[in-house]
Amino acid sequence: MIHALLQVLYFFLPAYLANMSPVLVRGTFDVLAVPIDGGRTLWGKRLLGDHKTWRGLLAGIVAGTLVFEIQRYVYEAQVARHLALIDYSAHPLLPGLLMGLGAGVGDAVKSFFKRRIDIEPGASWPVFDQLDFFLGAYLCVSPVYAPPLLLMLASLPVILLGNLVSNAVGYWLGFKETWI
Ligand code: CTP
Ligand code: MG
């Protein structure tokens, strides 16, 4: 069970790092730092808000693809193969791209709901803020490969905890606005 859990976490590493990437590219590619919703509103409230930018979404897609390609390289070098859930050589690029995209879309969909219930951009919405990217990445990559549902459920607490820790570290380093 622990081994299978580690395999799932390893599989979603591209999504995890894609989710962290938007804050790392702040201050670069300023031309892309425009809100995805273009300022549009629904019932007087912003669709997604100023914090969901094209720069962040693209950073996630690039990061997801890159991390997956590194995993493919590692797999082909016969390293850490016991962690692999899929045959990485048979799936170039696409799963990484889908996980990066899914992580960003999941995050943006969550922001859509945050705005509907009047949570300001940057203010925290515990649990949803931590799991949004994971669910998005899972749904997006599932046409290529979907880990068993039971394993997905079992990994939720680990993802939740891992994300709380990385967020706290990000806050401490000055990347994030809130500690949770
Ligand atoms: N970010 C971005 N574009 C995205 C996602 C994130 O530019 N598509 C950047 C923003 O600077 C954002 C930061 O990454 O403030 C942290 O992202 P996140 O915690 O997901 O957003 P929040 O600031 O909490 O905004 P929201 O309330 O809409 O979730
Ligand atoms: Mg947040």
Side-chain angles (χ1 to χ4, degrees), residues 1-153:
M1 179 70 183
I2 299 281
H3 181 231
L5 207 59
L6 282 176
Q7 285 182 315
V8 172
L9 296 177
Y10 183 72
F11 179 74
F12 283 104
L13 198 61
Y16 198 88
L17 294 177
N19 186 49
M20 288 170 69
S21 66
V23 292
L24 301 177
V25 294
R26 270 203 298 232
T28 66
F29 302 104
D30 282 344
V31 51
L32 292 170
V34 283
I36 297 170
D37 68 9
R40 276 182 278 275
T41 56
L42 175 69
W43 302 319
K45 292 171 196 167
R46 282 290 291 276
L47 222 49
L48 304 175
D50 279 337
H51 289 196
K52 297 294 125 107
T53 65
W54 288 110
R55 176 175 66 192
L57 186 66
L58 289 171
I61 295 172
V62 171
T65 310
L66 263 179
V67 173
F68 185 83
E69 285 307 291
I70 294 171
Q71 287 177 309
R72 194 159 66 85
Y73 177 81
V74 167
Y75 182 85
E76 282 170 0
Q78 311 275 344
V79 179
R81 278 212 168 175
H82 60 287
L83 281 176
L85 271 180
I86 58 167
D87 174 3
Y88 282 82
S89 354
H91 299 284
L93 291 168
L94 190 62
L97 195 147
L98 291 176
M99 279 193 263
L101 175 71
V105 171
D107 178 46
V109 168
K110 173 222 55 192
S111 289
F112 174 84
F113 288 110
K114 276 172 98 171
R115 300 301 87 85
R116 306 286 73 72
I117 58 172
D118 273 336
I119 301 178
E120 290 296 311
S124 58
W125 192 24
V127 183
F128 297 97
D129 274 333
Q130 282 78 41
L131 297 180
D132 52 6
F133 81 96
F134 188 59
L135 299 180
Y138 171 68
L139 290 177
C140 224
V141 80
S142 57
V144 180
Y145 176 75
L149 206 57
L150 198 68
L151 272 179
M152 288 300 297
L153 291 175

